[in-house]
Every structure is written in structure tokens, then in C-alpha cells.
Amino acid sequence: MSAVLDASALLALLRDEPGAERVEAVLERGAQLSAVNLAEVLSKLADLGEDPQEAQATMVARGLLGGAVVVVPFTEEDALAVARLRAYTQPLGLSLADRACLGLAKRLGLVALTADQVWERLAGEVQVEVIR
């Protein structure tokens, strides 16, 4: 596995937004996604008028979920990591789902892949790559 995807990175791929090609390249080596970030992706797609169940089925059919992207359950250890990251990330306005991605990346020793440019300001805590 090469990276942990933030919801914004997976959404960029699904919606063919700038940075999608970088996400595709990462998926050639496989990636991880917190179940919290999957919930965020499905919620955003629902906001855009898509049926969440159909969106999830489409991701499976495309070989994303259960294929190139492994969905990782949110654990007690992850909950603690999210809480520890709160003070560090709060000034940047990062959400619980953002911290779930960062915490998982830190736990697995992988880069966190995101479209959110504010993450570039995170110094040292977790390796981050911004796709656009």
C-alpha cells in the first residue's frame, strides 16, 4: 500500500477533478481509506444528488472499493489518534474525518493524500501530499 486517501482525494478521482491523475497513479500500488472517510465521500455524493448505495456499488464495480482501495475500520486506537490530533489541527479547521485520515496514515506510516491545500501547513506530524 502506498497511501491513505482523504475523502477529497477519492472525490477528485470519482468526479474527474484536477489531481485525479495523481490519485490514479497511487491506486496502482493500492491505498487505504478510513471507514470515516468513506462515509464522508458517500455523504458528499448524496449532497450532490447521488444515491449512496448506488455510488458505493459503482466504486466496487470500478475496482476501487474491495480492490485498489482497502477500507479500514475505525478503531479505538484511531479514536485516540483523532483526539490527539485535535489541538494540532484545530487552527487549520480540519474536521474529524480529516483527522481520521491523518491518524490512519500516521499509524500505518504512509503518506496522507488530499486535495485540501491547507494540509501543506502540517509540519512533521504526518507526511502529506496535496494532489493539486
Side-chain angles (χ1 to χ4, degrees), residues 33-127:
L33 178 74
S34 170
V36 174
N37 294 109
L38 176 58
E40 185 178 22
V41 167
L42 294 172
S43 296
K44 179 63 175 175
L45 293 173
D47 288 347
L48 296 170
E50 293 187 42
D51 177 84
Q53 188 172 2
E54 288 178 20
Q56 185 175 21
T58 298
M59 286 186 270
V60 170
R62 286 182 59 184
L64 295 174
L65 299 182
V69 179
V70 175
V71 178
V72 179
F74 190 75
T75 67
E76 241 180 277
E77 182 181 357
D78 295 323
L80 183 57
V82 164
R84 286 183 172 149
L85 284 167
R86 181 159 172 82
Y88 179 69
T89 61
Q90 191 171 20
L92 300 177
L94 273 61
S95 69
L96 183 140
D98 293 337
R99 289 181 279 127
C101 175
L102 290 166
L104 181 61
K106 184 174 181 177
R107 175 164 62 93
L108 299 177
L110 297 173
V111 63
L113 199 67
T114 185
D116 294 334
Q117 292 182 352
V118 70
W119 288 29
E120 289 180 327
R121 293 200 250 156
L122 296 170
E125 197 66 28
V126 179
Q127 185 181 354

